[in-house]
């Protein structure tokens, strides 16, 4: 069991949700800059969400196959601490983004079988963190945030050379099992604490954080 579990809540759109997440002890705040998503925010909207955050809170910008121009427009407006690349970006693209913008990168990888884990390995030398997510169905136009888990047994007992996060369909009710199977020290969720897309339910956030505390130990 991990000693301490860090939580990332993604798709934050409302200031009240940001404030509640911070008070609840959420470590990473995810802002979605992918326009097709119902949780998308503009740079101007995101700026209002992250003003005056505590230093310990990490702001993460989520992008999907974004151009350099788009990344530049957001980064010059919003004080992001990390970039999350959630599209089909290659290892070379991860290197390029890190060098051009000077921010650490989380690379999201969709998992449905052992072959996807082989793809993940290619990003270990170049990314700062890996986000292990459920692979979207062929009918979905979104690379993540679909509220679906994957078979956690695929990564049971695995260890990687860089920090990683577990994502995909996590909720207050399945978090303990997810941690027990995977041994994850960091978890990421969005729809699992929502009453509607982009609308975080504060009671669900509290329930999730309580579940996190139940599997952490000193």
């Amino acid at each position: 069991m991990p000693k301490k579990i860090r939580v990332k809540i993604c798709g934050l759109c409302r200031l009240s949700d940001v404030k509640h997440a911070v008070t609840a002890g959420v470590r990473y705040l995810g802002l979605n800059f992918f326009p097709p998503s119902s949780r998308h925010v503009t740079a101007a909207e995101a700026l209002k969400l992250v003003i005056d955050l505590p230093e310990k809170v990490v702001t993460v910008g989520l992008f999907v196959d974004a151009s350099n121009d788009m990344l530049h427009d957001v980064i010059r407006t919003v004080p992001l601490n990390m970039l999350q690349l959630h599209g089909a970006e290659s290892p070379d693209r991860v290197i390029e983004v890190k060098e051009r913008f000077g921010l650490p990168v989380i690379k999201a990888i969709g998992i449905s079988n052992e072959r996807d884990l082989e793809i993940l390995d290619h990003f270990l030398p170049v990314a700062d963190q890996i986000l292990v997510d459920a692979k979207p169905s062929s009918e979905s136009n979104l690379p993540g945030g679909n509220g679906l888990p994957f078979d956690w047994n695929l990564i049971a007992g695995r260890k990687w050379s860089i920090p990683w996060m577990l994502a995909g369909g996590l909720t207050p009710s399945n978090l303990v099992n997810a941690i027990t199977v995977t041994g994850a020290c960091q978890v990421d969720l969005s729809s699992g604490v929502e009453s509607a897309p982009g609308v975080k339910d504060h009671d669900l956030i509290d329930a999730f954080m309580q579940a996190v505390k139940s599997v952490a130990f000193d």
Side-chain angles (χ1 to χ4, degrees):
M1 284 289 181
K3 182 176 182 180
K4 184 176 182 180
I5 299 167
R6 293 178 175 176
V7 176
K8 174 174 173 282
I9 292 183
C10 199
L12 289 157
C13 303
R14 306 189 305 172
L15 184 58
S16 61
D17 297 343
V18 168
K19 290 181 176 179
H20 191 85
V22 171
T23 300
V26 173
R27 179 63 178 270
Y28 300 90
L29 303 180
L31 304 167
N32 190 324
F33 297 102
F34 183 49
S37 173
S38 57
R39 303 175 182 93
H40 168 259
V41 291
T42 65
E45 290 167 341
L47 178 60
K48 296 177 182 178
L49 297 176
V50 300
I51 292 176
D52 297 328
L53 290 176
E55 288 187 8
K56 65 179 181 179
V57 175
V58 179
T59 54
V60 182
L62 184 154
F63 299 88
V64 178
D65 300 316
S67 67
N68 287 337
D69 286 343
M70 179 182 182
L71 289 167
H72 179 263
D73 287 345
V74 172
I75 292 169
R76 70 179 179 179
T77 301
V78 187
L80 297 174
N81 301 122
M82 301 188 78
L83 306 177
Q84 179 176 323
L85 303 184
H86 214 113
E89 299 91 357
S90 67
D92 285 343
R93 177 58 175 159
V94 172
I95 294 172
E96 178 187 6
V97 169
K98 288 177 60 174
E99 291 180 348
R100 180 180 288 263
F101 298 102
L103 290 172
V105 167
I106 302 170
K107 181 64 182 86
I109 306 293
I111 300 295
S112 64
N113 53 49
E114 291 281 349
R115 184 176 299 176
D116 295 323
L117 292 171
E118 296 175 8
I119 295 172
L120 183 155
D121 289 340
H122 296 306
F123 290 91
L124 297 177
V126 298
D128 296 280
Q129 295 200 36
I130 294 291
L131 188 143
V132 186
D133 199 0
K135 198 169 192 175
S137 69
S138 58
E139 290 80 25
S140 176
N141 66 341
L142 300 175
N146 295 293
L148 300 173
F150 62 95
D151 181 2
W152 298 322
N153 289 299
L154 284 169
I155 62 171
R158 290 183 181 266
K159 297 184 184 300
W160 289 291
S161 57
I162 61 175
W164 66 281
M165 297 183 184
L166 176 67
L170 295 176
T171 67
S173 60
N174 69 16
L175 182 277
V176 172
N177 187 41
I179 294 297
T180 301
V181 173
T182 67
C185 293
Q186 301 190 116
V187 293
D188 173 277
L189 76 165
S190 182
S191 61
V193 288
E194 287 184 338
S195 57
V199 179
K200 306 307 182 192
D201 184 304
H202 296 184
D203 289 338
L204 286 177
I205 291 176
D206 291 342
F208 190 85
M209 297 306 292
Q210 191 61 42
V212 166
K213 292 176 182 177
S214 74
V215 292
F217 63 91
D218 295 324

